[in-house]
Amino acid sequence: MGSDRRPAAALEGVSKRYGETAAVADLSVTIEDGEFFTLVGPSGCGKTTTLRLLAGFEAPTTGRIELGGEDVAGVPPEDREVGVVFQEYALFPHMTVGENVGYGLSFADPPGGASRDERVAELLALVDLGETAERDPTALSGGQRQRVALARALAPGPELLLLDEPMSALDARLRERLRVQLREIQSELGITTIYVTHDQEEALAISDRVAVMQDGRIEQVGQPRELYRRPATQFVAEFLGENNLLSGRVTAVDGETAAVAVEPPDGTPVEFAVAADRTVAVDDRVFFCVRPERLTVGAGETENELAATARNVEFLGATTRVHLEWRGRELLALADRAIEPGAAVTVGFDPEDAHVLPRE
């Protein structure tokens, strides 16, 4: 039996141009009802423009945007049932915290038949700021102001919550605490949320699905674990976390394993066995990547082994980051034991830990 549940938001062939510059180019993506969906990418990749198009602050040059299955072309922001939290919070300094939260209720009735005061109290309690209603927002910390802005966006009961890098101005430890709280609030309310960030770790930690953007286009969409383990392009492999990227020629294919000959800068090719998790053929030029945590440093029983030198070592507490030199090429590994700089080490990895990428 099929479901008649409509996606919360959909963009179909959407482009946004400013003169000759394409901020968003032929973008198509669907966000499901109740989903926490994140747009991540470097500065200037089009993620904030995409958010502004959904909010109605910008109109697409071409393409179609639907919210709840309805085309919203020409629908102004105040009629889109969308809540927005900006990077700078944009709280009104002449209003109390409670007045800021209740501001949106000046234009819409509180959901569920609650009074304005009841709705404000409910949301301040939800963001753990129940005792701050009469306080001046300028007296609050950055993290508290961020939560006030979130409560204000939620006050009218929007169908869609848009968050534009709301935690970028906070320190790393506070961001970690608040992203957990934000995810809990989103899950409790069941509100569809689209989150913009340039922080790869944040995107992976908080999302149901992630869209990685570059140059106004989506490179890949998927669940965080899928994107991290099976990037579709070289850009995604290098942008999401640290990675070791090697290129070579396929010399043999045997079932689900391929042999790839890598030519180091110093000459002699070295053959590695990698998982053939995409169609490859003999003589294909391919990239493959191995995450630092999948490189075993020291004695081990891995199918692929190479002799390297530890050039630089960073102790990080729970792990040690080891910068390696292998025949003129730099590699990065994470080790669970002390490694001395200058030490000769054996490094290995198994075929299933090497992900093949198409040659671009």
Side-chain angles (χ1 to χ4, degrees):
M1 184 175 178
S3 171
D4 58 359
R5 196 177 188 184
R6 295 176 299 182
L11 296 94
E12 301 174 7
V14 171
S15 296
K16 178 62 181 178
R17 301 190 68 86
Y18 299 97
E20 296 299 314
T21 303
V24 173
D26 194 26
L27 191 150
S28 296
V29 67
T30 298
I31 295 92
E32 300 300 331
D33 188 38
E35 187 172 29
F36 198 115
F37 188 90
T38 296
L39 300 170
V40 66
S43 297
C45 72
K47 53 189 185 294
T48 292
T49 301
T50 302
L51 210 70
R52 292 179 61 83
L53 289 166
L54 285 163
F57 300 140
E58 303 278 359
T61 306
T62 59
R64 176 184 175 95
I65 298 174
E66 293 184 356
L67 299 181
E70 301 294 328
D71 188 345
V72 292
V75 178
E78 61 270 21
D79 294 333
R80 292 198 178 193
E81 297 190 52
V82 169
V84 185
V85 179
F86 299 101
Q87 180 176 341
E88 65 275 10
Y89 314 142
L91 299 179
F92 301 116
H94 63 284
M95 294 182 180
T96 66
V97 167
E99 289 169 341
N100 266 280
V101 174
Y103 178 76
L105 300 176
S106 303
F107 312 98
D109 293 330
S115 70
R116 178 190 175 107
D117 289 346
E118 288 171 339
R119 182 63 172 168
V120 169
E122 173 191 353
L123 287 168
L124 285 176
L126 181 68
V127 299
D128 199 26
L129 291 173
E131 304 300 319
T132 66
E134 300 303 319
R135 294 181 62 182
D136 185 330
T138 60
L140 302 180
S141 69
Q144 289 173 322
R145 290 198 298 273
Q146 189 261 354
R147 285 181 282 157
V148 173
L150 175 61
R152 184 179 64 183
L154 292 170
E159 295 294 323
L160 183 65
L161 179 63
L162 306 178
L163 303 169
D164 185 11
E165 303 207 47
M167 292 185 272
S168 62
L170 306 177
D171 65 71
R173 190 173 294 250
L174 181 55
R175 284 204 309 269
E176 289 179 11
R177 290 205 307 270
L178 288 180
R179 77 188 185 200
V180 171
Q181 186 176 33
L182 174 61
R183 192 63 168 101
E184 289 174 346
I185 291 171
Q186 186 271 339
S187 181
E188 181 178 339
L189 297 178
I191 185 171
T192 306
T193 299
I194 302 177
Y195 190 88
V196 161
T197 183
H198 63 274
D199 188 319
Q200 307 98 303
E201 181 180 291
E202 194 168 81
L204 295 175
I206 205 171
S207 314
D208 293 317
R209 283 193 303 150
V210 175
V212 182
M213 294 187 67
Q214 180 188 210
D215 296 334
R217 302 178 184 275
I218 290 180
E219 290 269 324
Q220 187 177 0
V221 179
Q223 296 178 346
R225 193 177 300 272
E226 172 193 353
L227 296 187
Y228 186 79
R229 291 184 172 178
R230 299 173 62 85
T233 67
Q234 179 181 347
F235 176 79
V236 176
E238 294 183 310
F239 182 78
L240 283 183
E242 297 172 315
N243 224 333
N244 296 295
L245 200 65
L246 299 170
S247 64
R249 182 179 64 86
V250 177
T251 58
V253 179
D254 183 9
E256 297 181 353
T257 303
V260 177
V262 174
E263 297 181 6
D266 69 358
T268 310
V270 179
E271 201 166 81
F272 295 103
V274 303
D277 50 0
R278 67 172 68 244
T279 302
V280 295
V282 172
D283 287 333
D284 281 356
R285 299 290 301 183
V286 298
F287 287 105
F288 69 89
C289 57
V290 184
R291 293 287 182 185
E293 66 271 18
R294 307 310 299 177
L295 282 181
T296 301
V297 180
E301 297 181 0
T302 55
E303 188 164 338
N304 299 297
E305 290 192 347
L306 50 92
T309 302
R311 291 303 184 197
N312 191 21
V313 178
E314 300 171 86
F315 176 66
L316 303 179
T319 188
T320 298
R321 182 187 283 122
V322 186
H323 298 263
L324 301 160
E325 182 182 343
W326 169 64
R327 297 181 60 179
R329 185 186 298 272
E330 292 184 5
L331 298 175
L332 183 66
L334 297 180
D336 58 3
R337 62 187 182 85
I339 304 290
E340 291 296 324
V345 295
T346 299
V347 182
F349 63 93
D350 289 318
E352 59 266 29
D353 294 323
H355 176 71
V356 174
L357 299 163
R359 187 88 180 191
E360 298 175 16

